[in-house]
Amino acid sequence: MRIRAGLEQAVLAERAYVSTGTIKNLESGKGSSVKTMIKIVRCLESTDWLESLAPQVSVSPMQMLTAARRTAPRQRVSKPRSVTTIHA
């Protein structure tokens, strides 16, 4: 992406407020933090691919909870009753 944009590593690093070493590490596959990657991607104006990182939500957590409550009623724990004895 950087090369297609016609940017040198130093220029991209300066625009993204990261070090040149960070750009080199990222390009060589050593990785980076998500925060750093987002900074760089924003500078390259390629943020559309970030949407692909979020999973598609097919069922909401609230729907799962509602379905679970319908199928299995909530069980309560009860204390054992104490037996009272009468001493004469």
Side-chain angles (χ1 to χ4, degrees), residues 5-76:
L7 295 173
E8 294 182 6
Q9 288 179 338
V11 173
L12 178 58
E14 185 178 316
R15 289 183 184 176
Y17 299 103
V18 297
S19 68
T20 306
T22 299
I23 303 292
K24 288 179 184 178
N25 288 339
L26 189 60
E27 288 181 352
S28 67
K30 292 183 181 175
S32 180
S33 70
V34 174
K35 183 178 179 179
T36 301
M37 284 186 60
I38 291 172
K39 286 180 179 181
I40 293 167
V41 168
R42 282 184 177 160
C43 286
L44 294 171
E45 297 178 358
S46 292
T47 55
D48 53 335
W49 70 273
L50 286 172
E51 293 175 9
S52 67
L53 297 178
Q56 292 290 331
V57 178
S58 59
V59 178
S60 76
M62 289 304 292
Q63 288 174 333
M64 291 174 60
L65 181 62
T66 304
R69 285 185 177 164
R70 271 190 248 135
T71 58
R74 188 171 149 187
Q75 294 181 349
R76 299 185 185 266

